[in-house]
Amino acid sequence: MSWFGRIDGEELDVLRIHQIIKERTLDELLKEEINTKKICFVSFNSDEGVRRNLGRLGAKEGWLHLKKALSVFPIFSDDLYFYDLNSPIEVINGDLETAHDELISIVAKLKEKNYLVVVLGGGHDIAFGTYNGILNFALKENKHPKIGIINFDAHFDMREYDKGRSSGSMFLQISDICKEKEIDFNYNVIGIQKFSNTKRLFDRAQKLGVNYYFAGETKHIPMDDIYSILNNNEYIHLTLCTDVFHITAAPGVSAPQTFGVEPRSALPLMKTIARYAKNLTIDVAEINPKFDYDDRTSRLMANIIYELILCHFNEDSFIK
């Protein structure tokens, strides 16, 4: 049981997420008859990608701490339906690739049933599975779908992958898949740190047409830039690597950032994306509970996730 917390009663006006969320098997989720305003969390129980990327381990159980923080949030609307895939995706004997294949299949199937899919990591390599799940779903509707990736991250994560996938390679892999399938690689990164990426990565990003903003530019990004991404793509993959944020706000991450983004600088951009994205899918990665005093990082990301859900479904948000 991942969802638990305070209970103030059973009346509608005192309910919390853990009291209403439905934990279901994949088959049960696919048979659900409700077709609007439904959210499904999918958990990825691994930091194998972080290990391969030589990061500090501990993100494997980030999803558990996220659920703990989300559990006690109050319900303000009775027409939002929360679901959770009842078993996390596991990486067995280091086989990250097979686990990614499972995530791809699950994301695609849930999107076919009109869920807002929110993937909880785990390492940021989950973005590979999330994107390809979106792609598999989109290819059924269009041979050349337009999928925009908006990544809040200190890193490009476009390293070579000749020795296998990792949490630092997935967006280069995605660019190669896009090239193979003759679709646009529309990759946008917000929060880049100059000292966290080599010159080769900056050169690669320029060569592949990556649109990026440094961490210090976040609060000055024109909203028209965001609207342009949203308007030019039929699907939006919003991927949040928690290490984008300042170390005081997010100490429990795989790669903490001394000069990271202040959460309130990024939140208006995220909320705009969530509200106006045509077909949204979200993933959240790199929470490292081993280094997270008082679950500070999990609490931050849980707040952001809930804000994004509310904005996406045009509900009143908590943070102005």
Side-chain angles (χ1 to χ4, degrees):
M1 182 73 178
S2 303
W3 302 91
F4 59 91
R6 178 186 177 119
I7 297 177
D8 294 324
E10 300 298 332
E11 298 85 2
L12 288 175
D13 59 348
V14 294
L15 292 178
R16 301 173 187 272
I17 288 180
H18 73 89
Q19 292 174 271
I20 68 162
I21 194 164
K22 298 177 181 179
E23 297 180 273
R24 298 286 187 264
T25 66
L26 181 59
D27 285 344
E28 290 170 336
L29 289 167
L30 299 181
K31 293 175 183 176
E32 179 57 58
E33 294 181 359
I34 294 170
N35 198 42
T36 60
K37 291 192 175 184
K38 58 183 183 180
I39 304 100
C40 187
F41 297 104
V42 177
S43 304
F44 196 83
N45 189 41
S46 173
D47 53 10
E48 170 63 19
V50 177
R51 186 194 67 77
R52 295 183 185 185
N53 199 36
L54 306 180
R56 62 179 188 175
L57 299 181
K60 178 177 181 178
E61 295 186 347
W63 60 276
L64 272 172
H65 290 252
L66 267 175
K67 289 182 181 181
K68 176 184 174 183
L70 279 164
S71 287
V72 296
F73 284 4
I75 299 299
F76 285 87
S77 176
D78 61 3
D79 65 346
L80 283 181
Y81 298 89
F82 289 85
Y83 297 87
D84 182 34
L85 181 63
N86 66 344
S87 297
I89 297 169
E90 302 280 357
V91 172
I92 300 172
N93 296 325
D95 187 358
L96 185 63
E97 289 72 16
T98 296
H100 282 167
D101 289 344
E102 183 179 357
L103 178 57
I104 291 166
S105 175
I106 289 171
V107 169
K109 289 177 180 178
L110 290 174
K111 288 192 67 61
E112 286 180 15
K113 294 299 182 178
N114 203 34
Y115 286 94
L116 170 61
V117 181
V118 182
V119 182
L120 309 176
H124 199 191
D125 54 275
I126 61 171
F128 181 84
T130 304
Y131 180 89
N132 282 284
I134 299 167
L135 178 60
N136 285 2
F137 165 70
L139 285 170
K140 293 182 179 181
E141 299 185 345
N142 188 339
K143 187 176 180 181
H144 299 285
K146 293 184 177 180
I147 305 172
I149 306 168
I150 305 178
N151 180 22
F152 284 80
D153 201 337
H155 308 90
F156 286 114
D157 289 335
M158 298 179 69
R159 293 179 176 172
E160 293 87 352
Y161 56 96
D162 52 304
K163 295 182 180 179
R165 301 174 191 171
S166 77
S167 64
S169 68
M170 56 279 185
F171 294 111
L172 180 59
Q173 293 173 262
I174 290 170
S175 78
D176 288 342
I177 289 170
C178 289
K179 184 178 180 180
E180 177 187 338
K181 295 188 179 296
E182 298 181 340
I183 62 176
D184 291 338
F185 176 55
N186 190 288
Y187 182 36
N188 310 271
V189 196
I190 297 171
I192 286 291
Q193 297 282 357
K194 189 167 185 178
F195 48 75
S196 296
N197 298 273
T198 62
K199 182 178 183 299
R200 177 178 293 181
L201 290 171
F202 277 100
D203 290 345
R204 180 170 291 151
Q206 183 175 5
K207 179 182 177 182
L208 293 174
V210 177
N211 178 39
Y212 64 88
Y213 302 87
F214 289 106
E217 299 175 312
T218 302
K219 61 183 176 182
H220 303 298
I221 295 174
M223 205 59 76
D224 282 350
D225 288 11
I226 303 299
Y227 289 132
S228 178
I229 299 168
L230 301 180
N231 290 334
N232 290 327
N233 289 284
E234 302 159 332
Y235 309 86
I236 293 295
H237 175 195
L238 176 58
T239 177
L240 310 179
C241 188
T242 312
D243 70 19
V244 73
F245 294 115
H246 192 280
I247 190 173
T248 55
V253 296
S254 299
Q257 299 298 321
T258 306
F259 295 103
V261 173
E262 296 292 341
R264 281 193 178 273
S265 297
L267 191 58
L269 302 174
M270 293 179 179
K271 289 171 68 172
T272 297
I273 295 163
R275 185 173 294 277
Y276 297 109
K278 297 170 187 172
N279 193 316
L280 179 66
T281 311
I282 302 170
D283 60 41
V284 180
E286 304 280 344
I287 294 174
N288 192 326
K290 287 175 61 177
F291 300 95
D292 196 20
Y293 171 73
D294 198 29
D295 276 337
R296 187 183 303 173
T297 311
S298 299
R299 293 169 189 263
L300 168 68
M301 297 312 296
N303 273 273
I304 289 174
I305 291 169
Y306 201 26
E307 283 289 302
L308 297 181
I309 290 171
L310 293 175
C311 283
H312 182 65
F313 292 114
N314 294 308
E315 303 288 340
D316 289 337
S317 61
F318 288 180
I319 304 173
K320 304 300 182 182

